[in-house]
Amino acid sequence: MAEAGAMLEVRDLHVGYGAIRALHGVSISVQKGQIVTLIGCNGAGKSTTLRTISGLLKPTAGSITFEGRSIVGMPPHQIVRLGLAQSPEGRGVFANMTVDENLALGAAIRSDRDGIAADRERCLDLFPRLRERLRQNAGTMSGGEQQMLAMARALMARPKLLLLDEPSLGLAPQLVQTIFSIIREINARGTTILLVEQNATMALEVASYAYVLETGRIAMADSARVLERSDAVRKAYLGVG
Amino acid sequence: MDPFRRRTLELSPSRLVAAARSVLPFIAVLGVALGVHALLYRWQIDDGGVFFYSKILMDIGISIILAVSLTMVNGFTGQFSIGHAGFMAVGAYTGGVVTYYGAMKLFDPANFAAGYLSRSLPMDGPLFGAADGLFLAACLAAGLLAAGLGYLVGLPSLRLRGDYLAIVTLGFGEIVRVIIERSRNVLPDAEAAAKVPAAALPLHVGGASGFTGLQPFTSPFWVILLAGLTVVFAWRLKYSSLGRAMISIREDEIASQSMGVHVTRLKVMAFVVAAFFAGVAGCLYAHQTGIQLTPKDLAFQKSFDIVIMVVLGGMGSISGAVLAAAFVTALPEWLREPTSVWMYGLIALCVVAVFADRRLRAALWVVGLTAGAELLLTVARRAGIELSQYRMIIYALMLILVMIIRPQGLLGLNEVWEIGPFRRLRRTPVAPARGAAAPAGPGGSP
């Protein structure tokens, strides 16, 4: 699958927190237009991988190329400028700021006012609940609404590749359905998505390609349709069999 | 016009409108400064007692500059700096050197006099003296040098946060104080100054005993003008995209980075800008009537006073910082000759009854605090205690009370006009969704 011309190409990534090594050679590749998912248990290194890609962590070894450019060692604000936006884990909305201000911050790197206003409208169409709550402080919203805001905020940067870190974390099952249908919708409108999830069932359903991460290594990588039916995955992550 | 289009126009006005909007507040500030200055100046001929009020007014103005500038660091970017008086001291001594030695080197002492703008008290002199220009230059130099040091102190702040940064800023303030204390005696006249090379003049600022001989150029005009400019600057910063990005750093640094905010640059920028205004405030402080400029007065204690103002007002609230600066500055004056407080309590009660969100709770607090203060006053009067000597204890008690009643400070991150009924007035309906508003929303909330 690691063919030339991939949008995002991660090769042999090693990352550690001090003496503890979290990733031991992770390789991922994301093609333009796809939804690729990274599934695995707690502590497998999913979030670490995302944070390294977005520049919040520095790898000890390995390469990351985005649209043919190496982005290893680039500060996060420059990586966002290249078109790679992240919706951080645990939502990370700015709690004491209004929904509107949160959205405006998503466009922090842009200065095309008309484009921003248009994207704001587009995001509010995608997440109608946010429109009702524009003037409300983000911290006073429900978990699901905060998740929607985090995703909308990331979209405000008009990314080519959207990194989603556990969008279903702590949400009611019904709301998880909604979030995933919106993820599909975002992808259908032309944004490539790299999705990190613990909820393997849902993730495999929307993704076209999937990686299974175990203790800092890629254990399996295949098309999502194949992995959905694989016995090992079904046993370990889908709770069946 | 449909609401969305109107909102877009509001966000991106034409160049002309935008320019007018930017300039207007500054013209307003200039007008107010001139007006108040003229009034006070006139009144002081009639009644010498008014000078007391113009002195308090100037004290408050200087405190406002300090508190509002510290709000940019502590309130906006959420870096806890407790060395603000260090920048003030740098500004005070820089300004002092410029006016004191500058006057000796550049002007003939006979012609050197303060103009109308730099006089708080009516006295003979030209309408616009050379001193006005020199004083303005001194304030600018004070601000710039302090800003330079702000850059140096801001750099370690990239690696440090919380308590560790607080210790660095505290250390900075102390270093400034010690260096000034080690300086040499003030040169009394131009003759003595001529014997010293010009570059060595800043070394002669009087050491621990203070910089004597500074002229009282600080007038209500300068204070109101510069305090007004500081407030307008902070206000425009807070509601710009830059200010929003700064506040996002305080809210969640990681999320802010993920949004593409250049966190390191904004943190240092906040330090530099705040230091600039603190330096200007220092220059105003140094040239006040009745002030003997000593390093001791601009040490940790002063920094702490400023932090108290920011915390009391609410971290990140400009109007809160202004109110708290006025309150904290006027409090010692009131403590010197305490008058009964039930009148203020009554006023506060009226304000609370109209504006507060939880009226009964707020009213009870007001009644309790008023009764408490009245009791304290009575006890102090009976026991013959001089309350003004216990200023710091009262501050500390106030801080503890605020932390219990309102941990976010008087106003939190909000401005006066964003709370209570003002907010209710401003909460205009947001542009309705095209098609159905979908009240239940897909899925509903968990």
Side-chain angles (χ1 to χ4, degrees):
Chain A
M1 161 84 202
E3 49 194 89
M7 191 178 209
L8 179 77
E9 187 75 63
V10 176
R11 280 240 175 89
D12 197 27
L13 199 63
H14 290 255
V15 184
Y17 296 94
I20 302 151
R21 289 175 54 207
L23 298 185
H24 319 264
V26 167
S27 299
I28 293 173
S29 116
V30 180
Q31 302 293 322
K32 197 169 164 50
Q34 277 187 327
I35 298 182
V36 173
T37 185
L38 203 58
I39 55 178
C41 305
N42 256 341
K46 304 185 299 290
S47 293
T48 306
T49 312
L50 270 204
R51 287 164 152 251
T52 314
I53 293 171
S54 60
L56 295 170
L57 291 173
K58 301 271 169 276
T60 47
S63 73
I64 307 170
T65 43
F66 179 66
E67 295 193 316
R69 280 178 72 175
S70 168
I71 56 169
V72 171
M74 237 187 229
H77 60 93
Q78 275 179 25
I79 293 177
V80 178
R81 256 163 229 278
L82 293 179
L84 212 155
Q86 187 187 10
S87 164
E89 188 186 6
R91 303 187 276 272
V93 297
F94 303 116
N96 288 317
M97 304 174 98
T98 64
V99 169
D100 218 359
E101 285 171 327
N102 267 275
L103 289 179
L105 269 163
I109 54 160
R110 298 169 58 186
S111 52
D112 55 323
R113 289 181 166 188
D114 294 340
I116 292 173
D119 277 358
R120 174 175 171 277
E121 257 337 80
R122 218 165 287 143
C123 281
L124 293 177
D125 284 344
L126 200 54
F127 302 95
R129 294 202 55 107
L130 296 182
R131 190 188 295 277
E132 299 162 28
R133 307 197 178 271
L134 272 179
R135 303 270 176 96
Q136 192 175 328
N137 274 4
T140 61
M141 300 198 300
S142 75
E145 287 161 348
Q146 290 190 24
Q147 183 58 55
M148 292 178 187
L149 177 57
M151 285 167 64
R153 193 181 56 180
L155 283 176
M156 286 299 288
R158 201 180 272 181
K160 296 173 193 153
L161 174 61
L162 179 64
L163 308 178
L164 294 175
D165 200 348
E166 304 262 10
S168 75
L169 193 73
L171 298 189
Q174 198 189 12
L175 202 57
V176 172
Q177 294 281 354
T178 312
I179 292 281
F180 273 95
S181 71
I182 292 173
I183 291 174
R184 237 192 224 124
E185 171 74 25
I186 293 170
N187 180 244
R189 292 185 188 188
T191 309
T192 311
I193 293 174
L194 176 56
L195 170 69
V196 156
E197 258 300 336
Q198 280 197 54
N199 187 336
T201 322
M202 291 301 302
L204 289 176
E205 207 179 300
V206 298
S208 52
Y209 202 84
Y211 294 86
V212 179
L213 207 57
E214 266 170 22
T215 58
R217 285 192 181 82
I218 300 288
M220 267 178 277
D222 211 327
S223 117
R225 300 294 89 74
V226 175
L227 283 183
E228 257 177 325
R229 271 169 309 203
S230 120
D231 280 342
V233 172
R234 282 167 72 91
K235 252 185 208 147
Y237 301 102
L238 303 181
V240 226
Chain B
M1 209 186 320
D2 81 293
F4 170 56
R5 174 96 185 107
R6 194 161 61 218
R7 174 99 179 113
T8 317
L9 273 181
E10 214 174 280
L11 286 175
S12 46
S14 75
R15 282 221 171 138
L16 206 66
V17 174
R21 255 194 223 169
S22 315
V23 174
L24 262 179
F26 293 105
I27 295 176
V29 164
L30 186 67
V32 170
L34 276 173
V36 175
H37 185 70
L39 276 179
L40 285 170
Y41 194 81
R42 191 157 283 262
W43 279 348
Q44 274 157 30
I45 304 173
D46 300 327
D47 178 10
V50 178
F51 181 65
F52 175 68
Y53 294 105
S54 85
K55 168 95 171 90
I56 293 186
L57 183 80
M58 286 193 272
D59 282 345
I60 289 177
I62 292 170
S63 296
I64 287 175
I65 301 180
L66 291 167
V68 169
S69 60
L70 189 63
T71 293
M72 295 178 210
V73 177
N74 286 22
F76 293 2
T77 61
Q79 312 174 80
F80 205 75
S81 162
I82 48 176
H84 214 46
F87 297 116
M88 190 188 173
V90 169
Y93 276 86
T94 310
V97 167
V98 171
T99 58
Y100 188 77
Y101 293 116
M104 282 180 188
K105 291 277 174 197
L106 298 175
F107 299 102
D108 177 5
N111 299 334
F112 188 72
Y116 169 68
L117 294 180
S118 304
R119 269 178 279 147
S120 327
L121 288 169
M123 51 186 155
D124 293 334
L127 197 61
F128 289 97
D132 294 320
L134 188 65
F135 183 56
L136 195 59
C139 285
L140 202 64
L144 289 178
L145 192 67
L149 282 170
Y151 182 73
L152 288 185
V153 178
L155 283 182
S157 80
L158 308 178
R159 301 198 153 272
L160 304 171
R161 55 199 56 149
D163 322 348
Y164 302 103
L165 176 64
I167 291 167
V168 168
T169 55
L170 176 69
F172 165 75
E174 288 303 290
I175 290 170
V176 168
R177 181 178 65 82
V178 171
I179 289 178
I180 295 173
E181 278 179 356
R182 307 270 305 163
S183 65
R184 295 174 206 155
N185 287 339
V186 179
L187 304 170
D189 47 35
E191 236 173 89
K195 288 180 195 142
V196 175
L201 285 177
L203 298 177
H204 296 267
V205 290
S209 55
F211 198 160
T212 47
L214 293 181
Q215 292 194 52
F217 292 139
T218 303
S219 65
F221 169 75
W222 291 118
V223 173
I224 296 172
L225 180 73
L226 293 169
L229 291 184
T230 312
V231 171
V232 170
F233 181 92
W235 178 40
R236 294 201 46 103
L237 176 67
K238 183 176 174 182
Y239 293 102
S240 70
S241 55
L242 208 62
R244 198 159 47 215
M246 282 182 174
I247 294 173
S248 81
I249 296 175
R250 164 189 128 153
E251 290 288 306
D252 187 332
E253 197 169 325
I254 301 226
S256 173
Q257 262 180 324
S258 318
M259 294 302 105
V261 171
H262 198 327
V263 171
T264 53
R265 194 173 67 192
L266 287 191
K267 277 179 152 183
V268 174
M269 195 189 286
F271 250 105
V272 169
V273 172
F276 176 85
F277 286 112
V280 171
C283 184
L284 290 174
Y285 170 86
H287 296 86
Q288 254 191 310
T289 323
I291 289 281
Q292 164 80 317
L293 179 59
T294 61
K296 188 170 97 290
D297 288 339
L298 299 180
F300 175 63
Q301 180 84 65
K302 189 77 191 173
S303 292
F304 200 69
D305 282 352
I306 308 168
V307 170
I308 288 176
M309 293 170 197
V310 173
V311 173
L312 278 184
M315 298 282 239
S317 170
I318 297 162
S319 45
V322 169
L323 289 176
F327 178 74
V328 170
T329 313
L331 187 69
E333 302 301 329
W334 176 78
L335 286 177
R336 208 160 287 153
E337 275 174 47
T339 48
S340 186
V341 293
W342 67 266
M343 193 76 143
Y344 302 105
L346 207 61
I347 296 172
L349 203 59
C350 293
V351 172
V352 160
V354 179
F355 295 115
D357 281 333
R358 279 177 293 176
R359 295 198 176 108
L360 188 66
R361 205 178 104 107
L364 283 177
W365 272 111
V366 168
V367 170
L369 286 178
T370 313
E374 200 69 50
L375 186 73
L376 186 73
L377 280 182
T378 317
V379 170
R381 204 177 307 126
R382 287 276 162 80
I385 296 168
E386 192 71 46
L387 270 182
S388 56
Q389 290 179 357
Y390 296 89
R391 188 175 64 101
M392 283 322 284
I393 296 182
I394 292 171
Y395 281 172
L397 282 177
M398 259 166 30
L399 267 190
I400 293 171
L401 266 178
V402 166
M403 286 302 123
I404 293 171
I405 309 172
R406 273 188 81 83
Q408 71 275 47
L410 189 63
L411 297 175
L413 188 61
N414 294 317
E415 300 299 339
V416 167
W417 52 88
E418 289 171 341
I419 55 170
F422 298 113
R423 190 184 172 104
R424 267 170 243 136
L425 283 179
R426 286 164 53 94
R427 201 181 287 154
T428 45
V430 175
R434 278 178 302 234
S445 52

